[in-house]
């Protein structure tokens, strides 16, 4: 049988394994975080209590427990756990696992085939698992950091339960560090170790919700220490990570202050400050894609149609980071922040959206005017659908005046373009349309 977490060697042998490996939770009760899945009312716990486990796709960032949960499930249902990596495994390895699973199945034993980075398998490879999932030869558990809606075949996805795992919170990281510090069998509990309260925040910032990273930092500090009794400080973490740490509470006031500083720097056309605050957010522990999301929102809210390329640049920065990762991809995010700061500004689309939302809240959903309804059938034409509709391309300038809003909102103006950037041209064009010139 292939060695896994639960069939590994003796404690003497395991002491040479990395701390993150040794401290893998052995049950749901040892697991930190992911309350929505593994808590007392979590759906995964519910599956285990019923003893009926569907195929599962775990979707979440690194270090959130995807592999560990698959191992816990295998242990709980007494199934053989066989891991594969979609990066390193080919047809030969998959066939070997399936053959082993068929043998287990014939003996009444369950097999969990765990596929790490399942999104790396192509459509044909993913399709190959379907019959074995359907006939019960395997319980498939896939792990992916990518959105399964786009990266996992719909046929396979329809036969699996997607469980989303989130980056661990500071309280979860604290619990994981303390458990490792105090565990005498698997952890560092044979030494007397304390952790300074400020250090927990830095563990959280540098791990970015990744339990493995937090434990790796802890192990590096322990390897550096020679005393039998010591307390971990912020300076210890700095020493082993060789990285400046910023006191920055991602859930507190300073987090929102810095977001505000980034937005206002871009809105007020200060590229130097925009670059500084965007970089500081990432250096302080905010996920680069979170910063990218804020900039994408800004492109629509504060620039809009004054420079439609702003949204293109913001989205390209997100795609660049997805492709390159850190640290290389962070430059594209800084570039997009600088672009936003130097672009012409308009909040006209943002204001139009707010006005539309107010009307949607204050007025009933009136029917679509008859003349702009589609009329694909004879009956609908007889009922007046599409009657009197004017086709814009039949008119000079490809523009026609006719009502498009519900009756009670006729003449309502939502979008008022500014004189900035490309919106000045849009404003002039709309004036000509309205004047009929």
């Amino acid at each position: 049988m292939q060695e896994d977490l639960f069939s590994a060697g003796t404690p003497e042998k395991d002491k040479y394994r990395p701390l993150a490996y040794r401290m893998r939770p052995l049950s749901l009760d040892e697991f930190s975080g992911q309350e929505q899945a593994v808590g007392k009312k979590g759906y995964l716990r519910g599956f285990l209590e019923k003893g009926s486990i569907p195929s599962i796709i775990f979707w979440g960032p690194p270090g959130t427990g995807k592999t560990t949960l698959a191992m816990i499930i295998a242990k709980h249902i007494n199934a053989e756990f066989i891991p594969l990596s979609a990066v390193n495994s080919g047809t030969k390895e998959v066939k070997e696992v399936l053959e082993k699973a068929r043998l287990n199945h014939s003996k009444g034993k369950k097999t969990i085939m765990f596929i790490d980075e399942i999104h790396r398998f192509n459509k044909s490879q993913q399709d190959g698992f379907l019959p074995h999932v359907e006939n019960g030869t395997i319980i498939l558990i896939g792990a992916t950091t990518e959105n399964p809606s786009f990266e996992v075949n719909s046929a396979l996805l329809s036969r699996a339960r997607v469980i989303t795992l989130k980056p661990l919170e500071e309280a979860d990281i604290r619990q994981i560090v303390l458990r490792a510090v105090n565990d005498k069998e698997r952890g560092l509990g044979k030494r007397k170790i304390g952790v300074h309260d400020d250090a927990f925040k830095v563990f959280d910032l540098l791990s970015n919700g990744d339990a493995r990273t937090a434990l790796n930092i802890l192990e590096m500090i322990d390897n550096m220490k020679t005393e039998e009794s010591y307390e971990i400080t912020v300076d210890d973490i700095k020493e082993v990570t060789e990285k400046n740490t910023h006191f920055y509470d991602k859930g507190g006031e300073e987090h929102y202050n810095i977001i505000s500083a980034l937005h206002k720097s871009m809105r007020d056309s200060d590229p130097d400050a925009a670059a500084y605050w965007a970089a500081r957010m990432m250096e302080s522990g905010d996920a680069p894609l979170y910063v990218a999301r804020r900039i994408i929102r800004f492109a629509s809210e504060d620039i809009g149609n004054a420079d439609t390329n702003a949204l293109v640049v913001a989205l390209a920065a997100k795609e660049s980071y997805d492709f390159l990762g850190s640290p290389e991809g962070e430059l594209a995010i800084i570039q997009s922040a600088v672009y936003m700061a130097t672009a012409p500004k308009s909040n006209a689309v943002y204001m139009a959206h707010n006005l539309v939302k107010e009307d949607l809240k204050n007025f009933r959903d009136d029917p679509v005017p008859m003349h702009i309804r589609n009329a694909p059938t004879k009956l609908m034409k007889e009922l007046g659908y599409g009657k009197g509709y004017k086709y814009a391309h039949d008119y000079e300038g490809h523009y026609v005046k006719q009502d498009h809003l519900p009756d009670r909102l006729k003449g309502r103006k939502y979008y008022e373009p500014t004189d900035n950037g490309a919106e000045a041209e849009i404003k002039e064009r709309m004036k000509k349309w309205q004047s009929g010139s």
Side-chain angles (χ1 to χ4, degrees):
M1 176 178 173
Q2 182 169 344
E3 181 181 275
D4 61 28
L5 177 63
F6 306 111
S7 63
T10 63
E12 183 66 22
K13 178 181 176 181
D14 282 346
K15 74 179 184 180
Y16 297 108
R17 297 180 184 273
L19 179 64
Y21 177 93
R22 303 198 309 268
M23 290 306 301
R24 278 189 190 276
L26 302 179
S27 67
L28 290 186
D29 291 332
E30 285 189 7
F31 198 89
S32 298
Q34 315 306 341
E35 188 70 15
Q36 77 287 354
V38 306
K40 297 300 181 184
K41 296 182 179 180
Y43 34 80
L44 183 55
R45 190 180 289 271
F47 287 144
L48 290 176
E49 288 174 354
K50 292 176 183 176
S52 176
I53 299 295
S55 288
I56 294 171
I57 304 294
F58 286 124
W59 172 30
T64 50
K66 298 185 288 293
T67 304
T68 297
L69 285 174
M71 289 177 165
I72 290 173
I73 291 170
K75 180 186 179 185
H76 190 90
I77 64 173
N78 194 29
E80 182 169 3
F81 178 84
I82 306 179
L84 285 175
S85 169
V87 176
N88 302 321
S89 302
T91 304
K92 177 176 176 290
E93 289 80 7
V94 171
K95 285 183 177 179
E96 289 175 355
V97 173
L98 290 173
E99 186 56 42
K100 196 169 190 178
R102 276 190 286 268
L103 183 61
N104 284 341
H105 192 57
S106 68
K107 296 177 180 179
K109 184 175 178 64
K110 297 175 181 177
T111 302
I112 285 184
M113 178 188 280
F114 176 73
I115 304 175
D116 195 20
E117 299 191 82
I118 191 171
H119 60 276
R120 298 290 189 94
F121 274 144
N122 60 36
K123 182 181 186 302
S124 176
Q125 289 170 312
Q126 291 184 29
D127 283 342
F129 297 120
L130 289 174
H132 308 289
V133 170
E134 289 176 338
N135 65 24
T137 303
I138 59 171
I139 298 172
L140 178 68
I141 299 183
T144 179
T145 56
E146 304 295 328
N147 189 330
S149 299
F150 306 119
E151 303 295 341
V152 178
N153 290 357
S154 57
L156 189 58
L157 205 57
S158 68
R159 292 161 175 80
R161 174 65 186 261
V162 175
I163 295 181
T164 304
L165 303 182
K166 303 173 183 177
L168 299 176
E169 301 291 338
E170 182 181 337
D172 303 323
I173 296 295
R174 174 188 287 260
Q175 187 177 43
I176 288 165
V177 169
L178 285 176
R179 184 182 293 129
V181 163
N182 294 319
D183 191 311
K184 294 181 179 180
E185 295 298 322
R186 293 184 284 155
L188 308 175
K190 291 180 180 178
R191 302 169 85 175
K192 188 177 180 182
I193 304 171
V195 184
H196 196 277
D197 199 54
D198 283 345
F200 285 115
K201 292 185 177 181
V202 184
F203 269 116
D204 177 55
L205 293 178
L206 294 182
S207 65
N208 202 24
D210 183 329
R212 189 184 304 110
T213 299
L215 290 172
N216 287 343
I217 294 171
L218 176 60
E219 187 169 30
M220 285 189 287
I221 294 170
D222 188 64
N223 289 337
M224 176 183 71
K225 297 290 187 179
T226 58
E227 314 96 297
E228 285 302 308
S229 175
Y230 65 88
E231 181 164 316
I232 297 173
T233 66
V234 171
D235 288 337
D236 291 326
I237 300 175
K238 287 183 179 181
E239 187 171 348
V240 299
T241 58
E242 297 181 352
K243 179 176 180 179
N244 288 331
T245 55
H246 303 274
F247 291 98
Y248 178 69
D249 181 359
K250 288 188 285 184
E253 180 184 351
E254 189 64 7
H255 171 67
Y256 296 103
N257 287 342
I258 292 180
I259 292 172
S260 178
L262 173 62
H263 272 247
K264 289 180 172 66
S265 297
M266 293 189 294
R267 183 180 295 141
D268 297 345
S269 303
D270 186 338
D272 302 304
Y276 171 82
W277 291 116
R280 180 163 159 183
M281 287 177 74
M282 292 186 284
E283 285 294 318
S284 299
D286 263 313
L289 287 177
Y290 173 78
V291 182
R293 285 197 297 272
R294 306 301 308 193
I295 294 171
I296 291 168
R297 165 70 182 187
F298 180 90
S300 288
E301 180 177 337
D302 286 278
I303 297 175
N305 288 334
D307 181 355
T308 52
N309 199 46
L311 187 56
V312 176
V313 170
L315 288 168
K318 181 263 180 190
E319 290 299 312
S320 297
Y321 183 82
D322 273 341
F323 183 67
L324 293 173
S326 290
E328 292 90 345
E330 294 172 15
L331 181 59
I333 295 174
I334 300 298
Q335 178 186 350
S336 68
V338 170
Y339 187 98
M340 301 305 135
T342 57
K345 306 298 187 296
S346 169
N347 69 344
V349 172
Y350 173 70
M351 297 301 294
H353 187 210
N354 286 341
L355 289 172
V356 168
K357 287 193 293 185
E358 277 298 306
D359 281 355
L360 289 173
K361 182 172 66 175
N362 296 326
F363 296 102
R364 57 180 285 184
D365 292 339
D366 287 335
V368 174
M370 294 293 284
H371 66 285
I372 59 171
R373 294 187 189 185
N374 194 28
T377 70
K378 181 181 177 182
L379 175 62
M380 295 167 84
K381 289 178 181 176
E382 290 173 351
L383 292 173
Y385 282 50
K387 184 177 180 180
Y389 172 67
K390 300 174 184 177
Y391 186 55
H393 298 295
D394 290 340
Y395 293 80
E396 185 179 352
H398 301 262
Y399 172 76
V400 63
K401 282 188 177 180
Q402 62 185 337
D403 293 317
H404 300 89
L405 289 168
D407 287 346
R408 76 174 70 235
L409 294 176
K410 279 183 181 178
R412 190 78 163 96
K413 297 296 181 185
Y414 296 114
Y415 178 55
E416 297 286 351
T418 68
D419 294 319
N420 293 338
E423 272 197 333
E425 184 180 341
I426 294 171
K427 185 174 184 179
E428 186 62 30
R429 188 184 308 133
M430 289 175 66
K431 278 184 180 178
K432 288 181 179 179
W433 286 340
Q434 289 158 10
S435 67
S437 59

